[in-house]
């Protein structure tokens, strides 16, 4: 039977397994955690680090000798290089390896943006505190973002003011960079947007366009922790079209002719700017739940059809629904977990379409420093964006995770 390989077995990859079955394929899932949800749902399982390209290639090659592997992809897992290398070596459809490598390194990505005319916030490569001080002297901004060039899940990403102590900030960011290189960028004020598009050389559609919610910034500083988002966006139709177009163009200048692109953008007074893009399907339940719930478009299916060499029609990725969708996260204070809301209680609340609690009684909640340690989420729908937001926030507010924070 034909097999699709999913690199990454996180809980969002379960949707990828479901899509593979719906399209008539077996699903082989690769993950370093033998108990990963996607691995448990798969028809074939490979326990290997998703970042170990050679190990994944050897395992998939072995599987290809027994069953016909027709595609390699990921869902909600930041492993573009692994996917691209394995696909290229097996002669399967995929983005160029060099494009994947550019997308996995924020410095190389943004340098390509600048050389190709893609608008992006001003930035400087920094490998020591002296580099940061020099960059600040060259800038008129008072607020900056320091991040490793090659980390994931917002690990090591911090905001910095000119008056902040640089030593602990730089040491923390650097500790999350395998290449021991960071990037300092000017913080651009304006609404921040998540976009997700499918594009070909002839056309593009952006079914995913959501306002990112940073309402907790005052309490999470210096860490930049997103508390979900909501759609439809409050951006104007013109702003949405311009932002979507520049995100797709950013993917093209990285050397990709067709596929999906996840954009992180900011709408400034000078127009939309690309903070960064991902040449893969998004995480954070965006492509698997929020987009199809609001628009009826399943980008996972589109990406899988592309991964196996089938065509993707424009109609299949054109949004056709109205209403509102929102996602909010649970942020309990640090401490010992004493109680979590029952699944039935959350499901019974108006508009709830999906939720996940990632902590259990007896676990210890650590201070929130990146997106990987958020304690859970809820996704809601409503007749409008505002109704969806209120429903999500009421769940988090009224059904809290109880913690002994003494």
């Amino acid at each position: 039977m034909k097999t699709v390989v999913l690199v990454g077995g996180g809980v969002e990859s379960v949707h990828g397994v479901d899509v593979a079955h719906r399209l008539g394929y077996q699903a082989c899932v690769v993950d370093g955690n033998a108990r990963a949800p996607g691995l448990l749902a798969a028809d074939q399982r490979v326990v290997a680090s998703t970042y170990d390209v050679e190990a994944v290639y050897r395992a998939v090659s072995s599987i290809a000798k027994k069953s016909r592997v027709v595609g390699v992809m990921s869902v909600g897992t930041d492993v573009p290089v692994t996917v691209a290398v394995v696909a290229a070596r097996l002669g399967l459809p995929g983005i160029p390896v060099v494009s994947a490598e550019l997308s996995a390194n924020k410095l190389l990505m943004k340098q390509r943006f600048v050389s190709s005319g893609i608008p992006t916030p001003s930035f400087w490569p920094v490998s020591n505190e002296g580099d940061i001080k020099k960059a600040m002297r060259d800038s008129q901004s008072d607020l900056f973002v320091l991040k490793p060039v090659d980390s994931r899940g917002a690990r090591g990403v911090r905001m910095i003011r000119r008056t902040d102590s640089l030593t602990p900030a730089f040491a923390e960011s650097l500790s999350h960079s395998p290449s021991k290189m960071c990037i300092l960028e000017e913080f651009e004020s304006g609404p921040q947007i998540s976009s997700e598009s499918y594009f070909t050389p002839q056309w593009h559609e952006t079914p995913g366009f959501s306002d990112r919610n940073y309402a907790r910034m005052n309490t999470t500083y210096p860490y930049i922790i997103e508390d979900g988002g909501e759609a439809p966006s409050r951006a104007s139709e013109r702003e949405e079209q311009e932002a979507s177009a520049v995100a797709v163009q950013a993917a093209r200048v990285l050397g990709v002719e067709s596929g999906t692109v996840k954009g992180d953008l900011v709408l400034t007074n000078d127009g939309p700017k690309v903070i960064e893009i991902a040449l893969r399907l998004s995480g954070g339940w965006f492509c698997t739940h929020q987009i199809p719930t609001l628009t009826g478009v399943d980008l996972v299916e589109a990406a899988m059809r592309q991964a196996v060499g089938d065509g993707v029609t424009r109609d299949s990725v054109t949004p056709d629904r109205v209403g509102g969708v929102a996602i909010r996260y649970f942020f309990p204070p640090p401490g010992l977990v004493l109680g979590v809301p029952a699944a039935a209680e959350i499901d019974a609340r108006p508009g709830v379409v999906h939720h996940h609690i990632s902590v259990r009684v007896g676990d210890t909640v650590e201070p929130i420093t990146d997106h990987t340690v958020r304690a859970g989420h809820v996704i809601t729908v409503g007749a409008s964006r505002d109704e969806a937001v209120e429903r999500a926030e009421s769940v988090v507010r009224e059904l809290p995770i109880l913690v002994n924070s003494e």
Side-chain angles (χ1 to χ4, degrees), residues 329-343:
Y329 287 86
F330 288 85
F331 286 90
L336 184 69
V337 177
L338 302 179
V340 298

Side-chain angles (χ1 to χ4, degrees), residues 356-380:
H356 178 74
I357 304 296
S358 55
V359 297
R360 298 178 295 180
V361 173
D363 287 348
T364 299
V365 174
E366 302 293 341
I368 301 295
T369 58
D370 59 65
H371 291 158
T372 67
V373 292
R374 291 177 294 199
H377 75 272
V378 60
I379 299 174
T380 54

Side-chain angles (χ1 to χ4, degrees), residues 13-45:
S13 71
V14 174
H15 181 68
V17 174
D18 292 340
V19 171
H21 290 163
R22 188 170 76 231
L23 296 180
Y25 302 115
Q26 283 195 335
C28 171
V29 175
V30 181
D31 200 278
N33 175 10
R35 302 297 299 173
L39 210 66
L40 297 177
D43 305 294
Q44 300 182 65
R45 303 166 182 84

Side-chain angles (χ1 to χ4, degrees), residues 19-346:
V19 171
H21 290 163
R22 188 170 76 231
L23 296 180
Y25 302 115
Q26 283 195 335
C28 171
V29 175
V30 181
D31 200 278
N33 175 10
R35 302 297 299 173
L39 210 66
L40 297 177
D43 305 294
Q44 300 182 65
R45 303 166 182 84
V46 173
V47 179
S49 170
T50 56
Y51 308 119
D52 188 335
V53 176
E54 296 303 324
V56 175
Y57 171 66
R58 288 194 300 270
V60 175
S61 296
S62 178
I63 289 170
K65 295 176 183 178
K66 303 172 186 177
S67 60
R68 186 182 172 193
V69 174
V70 294
V72 183
M73 59 180 290
S74 66
V75 180
T77 305
D78 193 0
V79 287
V81 175
T82 303
V83 171
V85 169
V86 173
R89 289 183 182 177
L90 293 179
L92 299 172
I95 67 172
V97 173
V98 66
S99 301
E101 291 171 341
L102 287 170
S103 75
N105 185 296
K106 296 175 177 62
L107 176 59
L108 298 179
M109 178 196 303
K110 291 171 80 70
Q111 288 174 334
R112 178 62 64 89
F113 289 168
V114 170
S115 67
S116 303
I118 300 298
T120 190
S122 297
F123 65 94
W124 298 262
V126 293
S127 58
N128 54 59
E129 290 181 42
D131 289 341
I132 298 177
K133 292 176 181 177
K134 182 179 184 304
M136 287 182 170
R137 289 196 298 269
D138 293 340
S139 172
Q140 299 298 312
S141 179
D142 291 318
L143 192 59
F144 303 85
V145 179
L146 179 66
K147 61 180 74 172
V149 300
D150 46 5
S151 69
R152 303 168 176 88
R155 296 176 181 90
V157 179
R158 297 176 53 122
M159 296 192 76
I160 296 182
R161 298 187 177 98
R162 291 181 179 272
T163 54
D164 289 347
S165 174
L166 297 182
T167 300
F170 180 67
E172 181 177 8
S173 289
L174 195 68
S175 71
H176 291 280
S177 172
S179 64
K180 298 305 176 187
M181 174 64 71
C182 294
I183 188 171
L184 185 77
E185 8 175 282
E186 290 182 350
F187 178 81
E188 294 267 8
S189 60
Q192 293 207 22
I193 301 296
S194 289
S195 71
E196 192 147 15
S197 307
Y198 189 91
F199 65 99
T200 73
Q202 294 78 33
W203 54 265
H204 72 267
E205 289 289 343
T206 303
F209 199 86
S210 174
D211 293 340
R212 308 178 79 169
N213 175 37
Y214 286 102
R216 294 181 178 270
M217 279 291 295
N218 289 336
T219 58
T220 63
Y221 183 90
Y223 302 105
I224 306 173
I225 307 299
E226 180 183 344
D227 186 10
E230 55 262 12
S233 170
R234 294 199 190 281
S236 69
E237 183 177 355
R238 179 183 60 81
E239 288 174 323
E240 184 170 339
Q241 290 174 347
E242 291 178 349
S244 299
V246 76
V248 170
Q249 184 60 22
R252 288 176 172 149
V253 303
L254 294 188
V256 180
E257 293 184 353
S258 63
T260 60
V261 56
K262 167 67 171 62
D264 294 341
L265 306 108
V266 56
L267 305 182
T268 75
N269 291 334
D270 299 320
K273 294 186 178 183
V274 180
I275 299 172
E276 57 191 62
I277 63 169
L279 299 177
R280 57 175 176 83
L281 290 169
S282 63
W285 313 94
F286 194 47
C287 73
T288 57
H289 288 74
Q290 296 175 66
I291 294 173
T293 295
L294 182 64
T295 70
V297 174
D298 191 338
L299 281 173
V300 178
E301 179 176 329
M304 190 170 293
R305 290 187 181 279
Q306 183 206 22
V308 302
D310 290 345
V312 175
T313 66
R314 188 168 189 172
D315 285 348
S316 71
V317 291
T318 301
D320 62 359
R321 293 185 186 175
V322 296
V325 65
I327 180 172
R328 288 293 185 269
Y329 287 86
F330 288 85
F331 286 90
L336 184 69
V337 177
L338 302 179
V340 298
E345 286 185 281
I346 299 177

